[in-house]
Amino acid sequence: MKHKKYLLLYTLLTIFGVKAQQVSSPGGNISLEFSINSEGEPTYKVFYKNKTVIKSSKLGFTLKASENLNKGFELLDSETATFNETWKPVWGEESEIRNHYNELLVRLNQTTTQRVMNIRFRVFNEGVGFRYEFPEQPNLNHFVIEDEKTQFAMTGNHNAFWIPGDYDTQEYDYTESRLSEIRGLMNKSITENLSQKSFSSTGVQTALMMKTDEGLYINIHEAALIDFSVLHLELDDENFIFNAWLTPDSQGVKPYMIAPANTPWRTIMVSDDARDILASRITYNLNEPCLIEDTSWIKPVKYVGVWWEMITGKSSWAYTNDFKAVKLGVTNYNKATPNGTHGANNKHVKELIDFAALHGFDGVLVEGWNVGWEDWYGHSKDYVFDFVTPYPDFDVDEIQEYAKSKGVEMIMHHETSSSVRNYERHLDEAYKFMKDHGYNAVKSGYVGDILPRGENHYSQWMINHYQYALEKAANYKIMVNAHEAVRPTGIARTYPNLIGNEAARGTEYQAFGGSKPNHVTVLPFTRLIGGPMDYTPGIFEMDISKLNSDNKSHVNSTIANQLALYVTMYSPLQMAADLPENYNRFLDAFQFIKDVGLDWDRSLYLEAEPGSYITIARKAKGTNNWFIGNVNGKQNRESNISLDFLDKGKTYVATVYADAKDANYKTNPQAYTIKKMKVTSKSNISLKSVEAGGYAISIVEE
Amino acid sequence: MKHKKYLLLYTLLTIFGVKAQQVSSPGGNISLEFSINSEGEPTYKVFYKNKTVIKSSKLGFTLKASENLNKGFELLDSETATFNETWKPVWGEESEIRNHYNELLVRLNQTTTQRVMNIRFRVFNEGVGFRYEFPEQPNLNHFVIEDEKTQFAMTGNHNAFWIPGDYDTQEYDYTESRLSEIRGLMNKSITENLSQKSFSSTGVQTALMMKTDEGLYINIHEAALIDFSVLHLELDDENFIFNAWLTPDSQGVKPYMIAPANTPWRTIMVSDDARDILASRITYNLNEPCLIEDTSWIKPVKYVGVWWEMITGKSSWAYTNDFKAVKLGVTNYNKATPNGTHGANNKHVKELIDFAALHGFDGVLVEGWNVGWEDWYGHSKDYVFDFVTPYPDFDVDEIQEYAKSKGVEMIMHHETSSSVRNYERHLDEAYKFMKDHGYNAVKSGYVGDILPRGENHYSQWMINHYQYALEKAANYKIMVNAHEAVRPTGIARTYPNLIGNEAARGTEYQAFGGSKPNHVTVLPFTRLIGGPMDYTPGIFEMDISKLNSDNKSHVNSTIANQLALYVTMYSPLQMAADLPENYNRFLDAFQFIKDVGLDWDRSLYLEAEPGSYITIARKAKGTNNWFIGNVNGKQNRESNISLDFLDKGKTYVATVYADAKDANYKTNPQAYTIKKMKVTSKSNISLKSVEAGGYAISIVEE
């Protein structure tokens, strides 16, 4: 299934004075044209069904203390190739992924400096990826990028789903607006975060989802972000040109490069069908194949945890209120007065283990188990956690034994408080501690401003850190779910132990004031383009004051919508985030969370419109069971789907969890209906979803 | 020998309205007076033999985002105590050190904020130490120091031996001038360095040595610099007041504190005899006792090495000239063309091992043994060394075996290129690699600007790093000799595996253009106050062009002066830095380097005047052998010493290595005489030392 063929186009093209190089997608819908203009500036255009999607856009870099790499280029030669293979991910939305593209490699020489910069374009059926390559050469060795000058020139004032460009966080609600409206809406869109740094009133983040007035869906992101800094986009809102904007380090400097080196891939997905964006595997395909030889220890995990109770303020991470400042190794916790609200205590954790065992969950996450939470953020504190010392009321050995006896795995939590040197210093010991105590997965956190001070969450320095922690974890056979870290760019193909990331506004914000009702109809088009999110769905009690009378937040969602998320928000790591007592009140609905698959043979994108609705059907791996999820946006809507993907001639039992007629995400979010029915491949299903509602269906062969 | 007695003075003093607290040295020469002025500002004065040495000087701090801690104080109470004990250092200038002082502790309350700051003064016979202490308390927990406001108010326009204040280097020649002349001489005194950052045209470094017109010697430094940033001094040159100036981090911020915490000690030594400054053990005495339980593995080391040849440019650290940029793990050294000048090759290292074995040296240092030297500095390169991969022509196992067979220990070299994260990431593996290959000591280096970028060599962040590397080394039973790191502050008492530091202008500068002829008559009064220096003496060939015709540098020293340095520059780590071929030309002089002691029972400071001369006699540990060194400054001088310290009634053989009559450090530096004579405790010796000359004497019982 794999072949690669290079063609030297150079001779012909130059003989006839043809400057433009072209390459099309295998199916022919998308084509890309590369050319060098009269200034020697490399440029490209993208077309979809012969209509322009990306107008002529410049390529290149400005450098520090060296001549820029953005003009004065001549074409040395070019190559095209075709690639077509199928690979099997360790986990994913489907058990086989097709990687099919046509490639154009242009080799450019800057005549005044005799420096070579190559650009490799790959055109897939759903979009384009390109990266810069700096081969080993005499005149370009160490260099420092001042700015990436890649442009993405839009054809008009598109509609966009965007979050503010920021060097430290993606935890923003999405704003839907015309490109021209971004500037005016920027301030309002920048909501508070414990660490944030915006850079421009037209700066936005990737993955950026757009829709043109002609009905084209366009998505810009990046793939394989390794040893580089995060790509942001700054809009020239007079000309609707997005300019690349890299995240600087503490000194305002962008990536330090050593040739030979490649940049990450810049990706542009385009289709006239929004479902193609969700179905695309461009991001993974542009990453390197798996580098972990034995992946048998990497397994999807469905889990519960000691978490939502702290997020809502019902209990606390900290063990005591005695200390305003903690010095690890000095502060004596054994003499401290327990505050009575500490969540991670033996008794309570055992209750969670019992609940997990009773309902067949794989794991239990416990946050706040280790000393240091009394002053864990806001102090720029270096030695904030040691990752191995439990609070007096949490007995690691006892919990390990108890969990083992119940067939449940414990999930470790490493909040770093962004004190990154401290984390790296403890990483080996912390990972060893995990393995010694039966933990195979860790949720890591990067809350607050980075130490070393002045460093940004998305700089090259920090990208290297996340990668370091991930690769070291792989050596220990540990799965990583990093929160507040960089948003994923498909690296899980290469390191499939990266089973989760936060890097967006997750469910926690439903307890911090609530997210927009259609938030989850946007995320799969944006944040999830790069990889799975530990969104932590499954909230059944939407009135947070029921958990903590001081917290007036409301979860903007119906229970049916929460169930659907287990299908629509693909992740190999799925939490049932609410408290056992809330699940016990709705055990019939909870059944879907227990039943729903975690890993998939196939995924079908039945309906999709960013911001409005998403309906996905997935076939659980190694079974004949299907699960369907529908999440709905801001307007009531009828979803009509056909079950023609079911095996012909077979009968299945479908259990449908849907919004009740009177469901309302604000006033009546717990109103749902559950119906069982027999279905076949000839069945059609029509269901009404309310605003911020949806439905979930499990389909099991009879 | 140890007693401690606290007296509550508070009651008496306040009843009678006496505001000043006083404490005197055990011998009574020095006294210190503490008082709070009408603004509530804490102040102190220091007197020597009833004359003012430090005029009323303020104490305290300004804080970030919090009310300052420099006024509005009232005295809560005070305590005095006496301490007198003798402790045994693991290595040192004497086998027993007396720690004798009177102490005054003042407890201060800031009335408006109800925050407590204590100041602890210790008055020794040769000077004063004081530190700030922040006890655990409700209103002061996390705080950030904007500036330390400690003053050292001089009584006049003293003569000073100073180097420019700098956040990154102490590798400067000393300038001798009046305090009023510092500003005018600053620019000239700032010579080039690979990493440097000066902060003020009157900023100078500690240890600062001064002499008053009345003949008082004053030295200001600090002790026990732990979890704080380096103390510099900025001179108010209208009033001759030195103000403390702490080294900031990359964000311009000074130490982050968490109460309970203490600052390092600020020390002021004073005497009318310069020899008392050299003999003082204040810096060590103000550090905590040894924290390493088993110190049997910590041993003084006399060594040779593959080093001076690279410093002079005769050979190279790098293995090849093929690479302008190296990517560790990618760059293929096995295919590289050797440059033919690589010093650290098996054959040459074996020659050094043979030479060490022949002459009874303990160790051989090899620099440039590991991959990465082709582009090791100037590129802000992160992954610059891995500390475990040798060049193709250096076989670690073969060398280990060969050295072992010859009874010689190999000394490891870890150049970090100041890529500190990279070093910390590799530290465990690097130390393990050392122990696996028989290395028990490491010379570490911090050349160039720090990574994380913007960080300073002397910030709290970096002080923590050096301490981390040192303590981790202790866990591996590894001795550390850190170059380009912070200058020592007596921490070797607590961690005696810190057997050396550079942190000054060492012998290498004799190959970089030369140091001032009297440089080594200043260093013991300044840099060595905090701990030993790996000065790497023993250069016999002063014309560097003999080693490398491109290098026209001249070593500003005579051979006799070089020999004397083994006595005058105390260090448990002493290198014979020159090449074997140069020693082979002067084997009679070389004999002194072979004979001279490394560790001492007693040290006597026979003659001393900063910048002019130093003569020291030391009794080698566990022997009856004495070694005397004299280094001379800028003028020819006759040194007259009595040997009355020798055992009465015994006869000794003295071998005297002295400048020849016609010796001249510039034109005839290799002119020395060697004489043997019988001496007793009644002998007097009179010798003429030329400019930058000196003499060395070994005295062995007959």
Side-chain angles (χ1 to χ4, degrees), chain A residues 136-139 141-142 144 227 249-251 253-254 256 258-262 322-327 330 375 379-382 420-422 424-426 428 432 451-455 460-462 464-466 468 472, chain B residues 136-139 141-142 144 227 249-251 253-254 256 258-262 322-327 330 375 379-382 420-422 424-426 428 432 451-455 460-462 464-466 468 472:
Chain A
E136 199 173 337
Q137 55 189 298
N139 296 335
N141 309 289
H142 293 270
V144 183
D227 200 17
D249 72 2
S250 69
Q251 305 303 293
V253 173
K254 293 173 178 182
Y256 282 71
I258 302 174
N262 306 325
D322 285 0
F323 308 134
K324 287 191 175 176
V326 169
K327 293 186 104 162
V330 176
D375 64 344
H379 304 292
S380 197
K381 185 179 174 185
D382 195 327
V420 175
R421 177 175 72 174
N422 181 57
E424 290 201 2
R425 284 180 173 179
H426 290 84
D428 273 298
K432 273 184 206 141
L451 272 79
R453 297 179 188 107
E455 201 50 76
Q460 185 186 28
W461 179 269
M462 283 301 300
N464 277 339
H465 163 76
Y466 305 127
Y468 176 76
K472 195 179 267 289
Chain B
E136 198 175 337
Q137 55 189 297
N139 297 335
N141 309 290
H142 293 270
V144 183
D227 199 17
D249 72 2
S250 69
Q251 306 302 293
V253 174
K254 293 173 177 181
Y256 282 72
I258 303 174
N262 305 326
D322 285 359
F323 309 132
K324 289 190 174 177
V326 170
K327 292 185 104 160
V330 176
D375 65 342
H379 304 292
S380 197
K381 185 179 172 184
D382 194 326
V420 175
R421 179 175 70 176
N422 181 56
E424 290 202 2
R425 284 179 174 181
H426 289 85
D428 274 297
K432 272 182 207 145
L451 271 80
R453 298 181 187 104
E455 203 47 78
Q460 184 186 29
W461 179 268
M462 283 303 298
N464 277 338
H465 164 75
Y466 306 128
Y468 177 76
K472 195 180 266 289

Side-chain angles (χ1 to χ4, degrees), chain B residues 351-569:
Chain B
E351 289 166 3
L352 263 289
I353 292 170
D354 288 341
F355 182 82
L358 177 65
H359 294 290
F361 284 82
D362 306 302
V364 175
L365 166 75
V366 180
E367 295 200 3
W369 68 277
N370 58 327
V371 296
W373 287 91
E374 286 69 22
D375 65 342
W376 72 283
Y377 78 85
H379 304 292
S380 197
K381 185 179 172 184
D382 194 326
Y383 188 22
V384 59
F385 291 113
D386 70 4
F387 311 98
V388 297
T389 306
Y391 276 129
D393 58 349
F394 184 84
D395 186 318
V396 182
D397 294 320
E398 188 182 325
I399 293 297
Q400 176 187 8
E401 204 170 315
Y402 191 79
K404 198 177 172 189
S405 75
K406 297 283 180 172
V408 169
E409 284 217 355
M410 298 304 296
I411 300 173
M412 176 50 74
H413 183 234
H414 288 168
E415 174 54 50
T416 69
S417 192
S418 293
S419 182
V420 175
R421 179 175 70 176
N422 181 56
Y423 191 40
E424 290 202 2
R425 284 179 174 181
H426 289 85
L427 208 43
D428 274 297
E429 209 190 333
Y431 284 161
K432 272 182 207 145
F433 180 88
M434 282 179 59
K435 298 304 281 192
D436 289 348
H437 292 89
Y439 291 77
N440 296 311
V442 62
K443 173 182 175 180
S444 57
Y446 293 87
V447 169
D449 287 336
I450 299 288
L451 271 80
R453 298 181 187 104
E455 203 47 78
N456 299 312
H457 277 75
Y458 308 148
S459 67
Q460 184 186 29
W461 179 268
M462 283 303 298
I463 302 308
N464 277 338
H465 164 75
Y466 306 128
Q467 191 66 25
Y468 177 76
L470 177 63
E471 294 183 22
K472 195 180 266 289
N475 294 339
Y476 283 92
K477 301 196 173 181
I478 286 173
M479 298 183 281
V480 173
N481 165 26
H483 281 228
E484 298 94 18
V486 65
R487 79 277 192 274
T489 55
I491 283 168
R493 179 181 180 189
T494 317
Y495 295 96
N497 63 318
L498 182 61
I499 52 167
N501 270 116
E502 185 184 43
R505 190 175 170 98
T507 296
E508 62 182 3
Y509 278 85
Q510 300 280 25
F512 301 161
S515 292
K516 291 185 178 176
N518 70 341
H519 188 54
V520 296
T521 66
V522 179
L523 283 173
F525 287 99
T526 52
R527 163 62 183 77
L528 269 66
I529 292 296
M533 177 174 176
D534 184 29
Y535 185 71
T536 65
I539 303 304
F540 280 13
E541 179 50 68
M542 311 303 176
D543 179 357
I544 303 301
S545 70
K546 295 263 176 71
L547 285 73
N548 168 17
S549 58
D550 293 337
N551 188 337
K552 306 300 181 200
S553 193
H554 180 85
V555 179
N556 294 325
S557 170
T558 67
I559 281 185
N561 175 283
Q562 290 291 313
L563 297 181
L565 294 172
Y566 291 87
V567 181
T568 59
M569 298 280 274

Side-chain angles (χ1 to χ4, degrees), chain B residues 115-168:
Chain B
R115 295 181 300 181
V116 174
M117 177 174 81
N118 301 336
I119 308 175
R120 190 181 297 271
F121 298 93
R122 289 181 179 167
V123 185
F124 301 80
N125 281 335
E126 328 85 43
V128 168
F130 62 87
R131 72 176 179 192
Y132 301 88
E133 301 184 352
F134 306 98
E136 198 175 337
Q137 55 189 297
N139 297 335
L140 188 65
N141 309 290
H142 293 270
F143 60 105
V144 183
I145 292 174
E146 188 180 82
D147 252 319
E148 180 174 334
K149 291 300 184 184
T150 303
Q151 294 183 331
F152 304 87
M154 300 295 109
T155 57
N157 189 11
H158 304 333
N159 203 47
F161 297 85
W162 57 272
I163 53 173
D166 200 293
Y167 296 156
D168 288 296

Side-chain angles (χ1 to χ4, degrees), chain A residues 502-632:
Chain A
E502 185 184 44
R505 189 176 171 97
T507 296
E508 61 183 4
Y509 279 84
Q510 300 280 24
F512 300 162
S515 292
K516 289 185 180 176
N518 69 341
H519 188 52
V520 295
T521 66
V522 180
L523 283 173
F525 287 99
T526 54
R527 163 62 184 78
L528 269 64
I529 293 296
M533 176 173 178
D534 184 29
Y535 185 71
T536 64
I539 304 303
F540 280 13
E541 178 51 69
M542 311 305 176
D543 179 357
I544 303 301
S545 70
K546 294 263 175 71
L547 285 72
N548 168 16
S549 58
D550 294 336
N551 188 337
K552 306 302 180 197
S553 194
H554 180 86
V555 180
N556 294 324
S557 170
T558 67
I559 282 185
N561 175 284
Q562 290 291 314
L563 297 182
L565 293 171
Y566 291 86
V567 181
T568 58
M569 299 279 276
Y570 166 69
S571 173
L573 190 69
Q574 289 286 15
M575 186 179 202
D578 210 336
L579 310 187
E581 61 232 51
N582 290 331
Y583 290 134
N584 287 334
R585 290 161 58 204
F586 304 99
L587 282 173
D588 55 352
F590 187 56
Q591 188 64 42
F592 182 81
I593 300 179
K594 293 168 63 173
D595 293 341
V596 68
L598 259 180
D599 204 10
W600 312 100
D601 275 332
R602 286 177 69 196
S603 289
L604 300 172
Y605 304 86
L606 306 179
E607 302 180 306
E609 180 65 28
S612 296
Y613 55 85
I614 293 171
T615 313
I616 300 175
R618 304 193 198 266
K619 184 165 160 288
K621 208 171 206 168
T623 74
N624 206 18
N625 303 337
W626 287 80
F627 295 88
I628 301 176
N630 161 276
V631 288
N632 194 36

